[in-house]
Amino acid sequence: AVCWWVGGAALQVGPRAAAAEGDARRGVQRAVILVTSQKTLPVAVTVLGQLATAGVVPGAVGLATVAPVLAHLVQILIDSVLASRWLARDAERRAQAPSGSEGFAA
């Protein structure tokens, strides 16, 4: 949740930015939000590897890795649902927008 807020604030995701820049900027903003939410698995595996090297989690690294892998798969599903909703909402707004208009409000 914090990653989404930070990513959204840094990229100015919102009605004003979307209306001003159009579809291309919105697509890049959404891609960055989704990609930043996907970084959890490599970080978790790296931390677990370091803990195993330090002897904090001796021998149980494989088992400890199951939770981050499952969480990552759930995150992929959530991101897929979110992307589908964004696409459906964008298609609906395009259908309602007057012809010749560039971009649309979020």
Side-chain angles (χ1 to χ4, degrees):
V2 171
C3 183
W4 285 63
W5 180 79
V6 170
L11 294 170
Q12 299 174 358
V13 175
R16 287 176 287 162
E21 300 295 333
D23 293 341
R25 181 175 171 105
R26 178 180 293 111
V28 171
Q29 291 170 340
R30 290 176 177 175
V32 170
I33 289 171
L34 293 177
V35 169
T36 57
S37 73
Q38 295 288 326
K39 71 184 182 324
T40 56
L41 182 61
V43 171
V45 171
T46 301
V47 168
L48 287 171
Q50 292 299 317
L51 290 174
T53 303
V56 176
V57 188
V61 175
L63 185 60
T65 307
V66 172
V69 169
L70 291 177
H72 186 70
L73 291 174
V74 170
Q75 185 65 44
I76 290 172
L77 292 174
I78 291 169
D79 288 349
S80 298
V81 169
L82 182 61
S84 295
R85 286 185 180 180
W86 278 339
L87 289 173
R89 187 172 55 184
D90 289 350
E92 180 182 315
R93 288 187 178 150
R94 274 193 203 96
Q96 294 174 355
S99 63
S101 64
E102 292 184 25
F104 44 85

